[in-house]
């Protein structure tokens, strides 16, 4: 039997029963008349507010404007010139109203041409160094064999290991695995329910472990439950490349799996008779729990997801201890995946890109491998070395200034004044500072200024 067919009158009656009325109240009509805007992340809203404040600052400096304000090319050209003349940095044109495409094109041409020439603005993009498989080996070897860093909790070392392998195998953005800075406070991160542990029978009669990771928090598609990215990790014989074993260590510590309390229990697992595949189950109270979580000296937080800020600090710090000149970034790991996946359609699917142009503009390395096509050009192995973070690594680089130079730096009047300002700003913020507050941002500027003095 199929669904009961409804007559026109049945449809009308059902609509009225559910609260639909042809004649709307004034309040309802007002809501419908409003133009709906796409939801924005907190970081984007903050950027909009920042630009709006700069625009008001520009209007105050430039003098009274005739009302109503005309949003034409001349106005925005004056605005971007004020921005370039009064600040250092990149000008992003974000507004709360839609601007005519011709105006946008005109202003963009003004920025790229006359404005750049007049103020000598730098348009050079930063070089992109990739975190290659060799870089991953260096990081993992140092992390487990020679790292003298004291982590707040040893779980961080295991989580960092799993994170590095996970990003290198999936090409995921950081915000798909841990809590994104753009969605601070949401606790949105990969949870146990997003991780499917499979046992698959091999031709030899044994089985292999497979970890299927589902990325629900894809950039630009967080609200679409049907638009997820699934990537499956294989169990490796080499422990430092075996993300599944680090994942098992985390899951066992959380006692998240049904029927398997320890790693020994998992190692004794076998496929059920008559089955060629089997998927393990999570305990009910573990499904929504983030896999990677915040920790302190006293223990691991039960539900608080690891933040991108915490992960970034751990990865950058590890890279500095290894001797890398440049900061190790999750995006550089992702870029290496992008450069290794040659098929454009597969690359778009794995990275969640809508267009192949994104790769060529933001991910592709400038160093091109021609060894397959032209004899006498550098080998693929050498090209990989030149593209990698390892190319600019100095394993003997000092981690800090010598004691004498550090003392001189700390005693300099400018540094002492900055330290006093930082202390005052910290005291005003209290024990739990709001990272979106003006005071917090001002303190970050003080830290940055102090760093430039080194």
């Amino acid at each position: 039997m199929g669904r009961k067919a409804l007559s026109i009158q049945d449809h009308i009656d059902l609509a009225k029963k559910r609260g639909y009325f042809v004649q709307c109240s004034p309040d309802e009509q007002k809501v419908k008349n409003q133009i709906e805007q796409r939801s924005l992340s907190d970081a984007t809203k903050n950027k909009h507010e920042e630009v709006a404040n700069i625009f008001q600052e520009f209007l105050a400096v430039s003098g009274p404007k005739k009302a109503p304000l005309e949003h034409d090319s001349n106005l925005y050209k004056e605005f971007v010139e004020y921005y370039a003349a009064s600040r250092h940095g990149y000008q992003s044109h974000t507004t709360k109203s839609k601007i005519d495409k011709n105006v946008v094109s005109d202003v963009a041409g003004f920025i790229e041409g006359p404005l750049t020439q007049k103020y000598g603005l730098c348009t050079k993009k930063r070089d992109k160094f990739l975190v290659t498989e060799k870089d991953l080996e260096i990081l993992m070897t140092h992390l487990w064999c020679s790292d003298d860093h004291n982590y707040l909790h040893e779980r961080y070392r295991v989580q960092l290991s799993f994170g590095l392998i996970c990003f290198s195998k999936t090409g995921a953005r950081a915000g798909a695995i841990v809590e994104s800075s753009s969605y601070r406070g949401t606790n949105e991160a990969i949870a146990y329910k997003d991780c499917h542990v499979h046992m698959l029978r091999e031709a030899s009669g044994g089985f292999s472990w497979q970890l299927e990771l589902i990325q629900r928090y894809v950039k630009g598609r967080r609200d679409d439950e049907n638009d997820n990215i699934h990537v499956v990790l294989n169990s490796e014989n080499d422990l430092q490349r075996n993300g599944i074993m680090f994942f098992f260590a985390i899951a066992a510590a959380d006692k998240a799996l049904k029927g398997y309390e320890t790693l020994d229990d998992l190692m004794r697992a076998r496929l059920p008779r008559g089955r060629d595949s089997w998927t393990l189950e999570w305990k009910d109270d573990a499904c929504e729990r983030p896999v990677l979580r915040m920790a302190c000296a006293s223990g691991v937080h039960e539900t608080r997801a690891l933040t991108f800020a915490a992960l970034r600090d751990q990865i950058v710090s590890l890279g500095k201890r290894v001797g890398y000149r440049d900061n190790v970034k999750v995006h550089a790991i992702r870029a290496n995946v992008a450069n290794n996946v040659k098929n454009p359609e597969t690359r778009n699917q794995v990275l969640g890109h809508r267009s192949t142009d994104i790769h060529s503009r933001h991910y592709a390395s400038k160093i091109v491998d021609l060894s397959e096509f032209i004899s006498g050009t550098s080998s693929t192995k050498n090209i990989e070395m030149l593209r990698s973070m390892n190319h600019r690594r100095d394993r003997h680089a000092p981690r800090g200034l010598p004691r004498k130079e550090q003392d001189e730096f700390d005693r300099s009047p400018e540094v002492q004044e900055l330290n006093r300002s930082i202390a005052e700003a910290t005291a005003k913020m209290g024990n739990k500072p709001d990272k979106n507050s003006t005071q917090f941002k001002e303190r970050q500027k003080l830290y940055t200024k102090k760093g430039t003095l080194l």
Side-chain angles (χ1 to χ4, degrees):
M1 293 180 64
R3 181 178 295 179
K4 178 185 177 182
L6 299 179
S7 66
I8 295 177
Q9 188 58 46
D10 290 335
H11 285 298
I12 294 173
D13 293 340
L14 182 59
K16 289 181 178 180
K17 183 179 179 181
R18 291 176 174 174
Y20 174 78
F21 299 97
V22 176
Q23 297 296 329
C24 299
S25 67
D27 290 340
E28 291 174 329
Q29 190 62 47
K30 183 178 180 182
V31 170
K32 289 183 178 181
N33 289 337
Q34 292 178 348
I35 298 175
E36 293 294 332
Q37 301 287 341
R38 292 181 62 185
S39 60
L40 302 174
S41 68
D42 288 341
T44 304
K45 291 178 182 176
N46 291 336
K47 177 58 68 176
H48 282 203
E49 292 175 1
E50 180 182 340
V51 174
N53 290 335
I54 296 172
F55 190 73
Q56 293 301 321
E57 177 185 310
F58 154 71
L59 292 177
V61 171
S62 61
K65 302 284 183 181
K66 61 180 180 180
L69 198 63
E70 293 186 12
H71 291 265
D72 55 16
S73 297
N74 290 334
L75 175 67
Y76 291 113
K77 285 179 180 179
E78 290 178 15
F79 172 54
V80 294
E81 180 169 0
Y82 168 74
Y83 187 96
S86 62
R87 287 165 173 77
H88 299 285
Y90 170 73
Q91 164 62 26
S92 58
H93 47 277
T94 53
T95 65
K96 294 183 178 179
S97 60
K98 191 173 181 64
I99 302 175
D100 183 85
K101 289 183 178 180
N102 293 328
V103 174
V104 173
S105 178
D106 186 18
V107 175
F110 173 71
I111 294 173
E112 295 168 1
L115 189 66
T116 298
Q117 295 173 9
K118 181 177 181 179
Y119 292 96
L121 302 179
C122 179
T123 59
K124 185 181 184 302
K125 295 182 179 179
R126 288 175 291 184
D127 292 328
K128 298 180 178 66
F129 293 97
L130 311 179
V131 177
T132 63
E133 284 291 320
K134 179 62 177 179
D135 289 311
L136 184 66
E137 179 183 328
I138 292 171
L139 292 168
M140 292 292 288
T141 301
H142 182 84
L143 182 62
W144 287 99
C145 298
S146 55
D147 196 8
D148 58 1
H149 180 71
N150 291 321
Y151 288 91
L152 283 174
H153 195 285
E154 274 302 303
R155 177 167 175 132
Y156 274 149
R157 193 188 302 270
V158 181
Q159 289 188 163
L160 182 54
S161 302
F162 173 68
L164 288 171
I165 297 173
C166 175
F167 291 122
S168 70
K169 302 301 181 186
T170 66
R173 288 185 173 88
I177 306 299
V178 300
E179 183 190 88
S180 169
S181 297
S182 297
Y183 294 86
R184 188 180 288 112
T186 61
N187 215 45
E188 292 179 345
I190 197 165
Y192 280 113
K193 69 177 183 181
D194 305 315
C195 307
H196 298 173
V197 181
H198 306 294
M199 304 165 69
L200 302 184
R201 193 175 299 283
E202 301 286 336
S204 61
F207 73 91
S208 65
W209 292 107
Q210 307 289 319
L211 176 60
E212 179 184 358
L213 297 175
I214 303 174
Q215 300 173 40
R216 289 184 293 126
Y217 302 115
V218 180
K219 183 179 180 180
R221 289 171 278 169
R222 283 179 168 248
D223 297 328
D224 190 346
E225 58 182 326
N226 298 310
D227 200 352
N228 303 322
I229 299 176
H230 295 235
V231 178
V232 182
L233 275 60
N234 187 38
S235 183
E236 303 275 355
N237 291 327
D238 186 355
L239 180 59
Q240 69 178 2
R241 288 182 170 85
N242 195 337
I244 294 180
M245 293 308 297
F246 289 110
F247 177 81
F248 279 167
I250 295 171
D254 290 339
K255 299 190 181 302
L257 283 163
K258 283 185 179 179
Y260 302 94
E261 297 295 318
T262 65
L263 278 175
D264 288 338
D265 292 340
L266 283 166
M267 295 303 99
R268 288 193 292 266
R270 295 293 180 268
L271 271 169
R273 186 184 298 273
R275 293 294 301 265
D276 290 329
S277 63
W278 187 257
T279 301
L280 304 188
E281 295 183 2
W282 300 111
K283 293 178 180 178
D284 294 340
D285 61 349
C287 290
E288 300 291 339
R289 191 183 307 167
V291 176
L292 305 180
R293 302 200 300 281
M294 298 298 291
C296 61
S298 59
V300 182
H301 200 289
E302 282 295 315
T303 58
R304 184 72 179 94
L306 183 69
T307 64
F308 170 69
L311 175 68
R312 177 197 58 210
D313 290 346
Q314 292 171 17
I315 292 179
V316 170
S317 176
L318 175 62
K320 293 300 182 185
R321 295 195 298 276
V322 166
Y324 284 134
R325 174 177 172 177
D326 306 286
N327 288 343
V328 178
K329 299 178 180 179
V330 174
H331 193 78
I333 304 175
R334 175 177 165 85
N336 185 62
V337 175
N339 280 268
N340 285 334
V341 180
K342 305 303 181 184
N343 183 281
E345 292 184 4
T346 303
R347 184 171 57 230
N348 285 350
Q349 183 180 5
V350 170
L351 299 182
H353 290 166
R354 298 291 194 186
S355 167
T356 55
D357 292 340
I358 298 175
H359 171 72
S360 59
R361 286 189 286 115
H362 301 294
Y363 288 83
S365 173
K366 294 180 180 178
I367 304 177
V368 182
D369 182 5
L370 297 174
S371 58
E372 186 179 344
F373 310 100
I374 302 176
S375 61
T377 57
S378 189
S379 67
T380 298
K381 181 179 179 181
N382 290 337
I383 291 295
E384 182 176 301
M385 177 63 180
L386 294 175
R387 287 175 172 177
S388 72
M389 302 278 293
N390 189 29
H391 177 50
R392 291 153 65 87
R393 176 193 177 207
D394 182 359
R395 66 188 68 190
H396 302 298
R399 296 186 187 178
L401 292 173
R403 178 60 62 85
K404 181 180 178 181
E405 294 182 15
Q406 183 66 52
D407 289 342
E408 292 176 354
F409 177 80
D410 291 337
R411 287 199 298 268
S412 68
E414 190 172 1
V415 171
Q416 290 183 351
E417 180 61 31
L418 282 171
N419 286 338
R420 281 193 291 271
S421 299
I422 291 171
E424 291 173 1
T426 302
K428 292 178 181 178
M429 288 189 294
N431 296 328
K432 295 183 178 180
D434 178 8
K435 293 187 177 181
N436 290 321
S437 67
T438 303
Q439 290 176 330
F440 185 88
K441 292 177 180 178
E442 288 300 322
R443 189 181 67 168
Q444 291 302 106
K445 291 178 181 179
L446 293 172
Y447 276 123
T448 302
K449 185 176 181 180
K450 181 179 176 181
T452 59
L453 298 177
L454 285 171

